[in-house]
Amino acid sequence: MEKIKLTQEQANAIEYALNKTGDYKDDKDRLIRDISRDYVNFHNDLFSLNKIDIAVAAKALYAGYEVIPQYKVGDWITVFYENGNFKYTAKITSVESEFVRVDVNTSRNFPQYLNGYGIVRHATPEEIQQEKKRRFWNGIGRIEDEYKQNDLVEVDYQDYGIINGKTNSGTWMIYHINDDATVFCSSDEIRLIVKAEDRLDK
């Protein structure tokens, strides 16, 4: 059976009940019975159990549970949709009780539910780096790694060069300013500093 998902508050309340209270310590059956009774009101550390569904509580106690990850504004998340066939990475702009909003500007810029439609998780460092790269190139009106003739680029840790063409193998020919020589670099070894059309020395 798949583990049920609980909020951090619900998980804390269950753990507190089973480990630190005299009434429910190591007694899952009694806790379930009281959750099912309308006249039982939980207080303080157990307050969140007042609104938990009895079926959810039973599955959590007897089949196990996972805690829904905690998100905050500024976190990067990756959202999978349409059975995992598509995904995007975005930054959270607001957090509400059951969903988050993100900073993507697509047809799917609607609330992302944390326990419902699609799959939401924290983005990996690689996904964040790739999304920042995509946004950079999109922001200047080019596709990713679209260097052009006479672009000023950073080469070899703060040395600079001018794009002077591309080889058949896909590496860039770059006039290395400090060495007054041509070097060959992959896209991963250079970084755009100034587009050719924006250079003031042209």
Side-chain angles (χ1 to χ4, degrees):
M1 180 182 294
E2 183 179 356
K3 290 183 178 180
I4 201 73
K5 289 182 171 59
L6 300 180
T7 66
Q8 187 65 61
E9 292 77 12
Q10 291 169 335
N12 289 346
I14 287 176
E15 292 300 319
Y16 188 89
L18 296 177
N19 293 290
K20 296 183 179 181
T21 65
D23 291 337
Y24 306 112
K25 187 173 176 61
D26 299 324
D27 194 345
K28 296 179 181 180
D29 293 344
R30 183 175 181 182
L31 181 58
I32 284 292
R33 284 195 296 270
D34 278 0
I35 289 175
S36 68
R37 291 167 175 158
D38 293 336
Y39 61 83
V40 174
N41 291 311
F42 296 99
H43 303 281
N44 301 324
D45 293 299
L46 305 185
F47 182 77
S48 64
L49 298 181
N50 288 315
K51 294 184 178 181
I52 192 170
D53 181 80
I54 182 60
V56 170
K59 290 178 182 178
L61 285 168
Y62 295 110
Y65 62 85
E66 296 176 342
V67 176
I68 299 171
Q70 299 295 293
Y71 298 100
K72 62 182 183 297
V73 172
D75 283 355
W76 287 86
I77 61 172
T78 294
V79 181
F80 296 83
Y81 56 95
E82 294 187 13
N83 296 318
N85 292 318
F86 301 95
K87 72 173 184 176
Y88 64 81
T89 298
K91 185 184 290 187
I92 294 175
T93 57
S94 68
V95 178
E96 301 190 29
S97 60
E98 295 183 354
F99 64 85
V100 298
R101 294 184 186 275
V102 294
D103 65 347
V104 294
N105 185 22
T106 71
S107 61
R108 293 191 173 276
N109 189 16
F110 48 76
Q112 297 303 315
Y113 288 89
L114 301 178
N115 191 15
Y117 175 84
I119 299 173
V120 179
R121 62 163 170 76
H122 280 103
T124 65
E126 293 77 15
E127 288 170 334
I128 296 171
Q129 182 180 11
Q130 180 60 38
E131 176 60 15
K132 287 181 177 180
K133 180 180 180 180
R134 185 197 68 78
R135 293 184 183 197
F136 168 78
W137 287 102
N138 185 66
I140 63 173
R142 296 187 187 180
I143 62 174
E144 289 183 33
D145 296 329
E146 186 185 2
Y147 294 98
K148 294 185 177 182
Q149 187 80 15
N150 292 320
D151 281 347
L152 176 67
V153 296
E154 184 181 50
V155 186
D156 297 334
Y157 307 103
Q158 298 185 347
D159 281 342
Y160 299 94
I162 305 295
I163 295 290
N164 197 28
K166 194 173 187 179
T167 68
N168 292 333
S169 63
T171 57
W172 297 99
M173 294 183 292
I174 300 169
Y175 170 67
H176 198 282
I177 297 174
N178 287 347
D179 293 340
D180 190 24
T182 297
V183 296
F184 298 87
C185 299
S186 68
S187 295
D188 292 335
E189 297 173 309
I190 59 179
R191 184 170 67 92
L192 181 65
I193 301 299
V194 182
K195 295 187 295 182
E197 58 268 32
D198 293 337
R199 284 174 52 192
L200 299 180
D201 62 326
K202 295 292 290 180

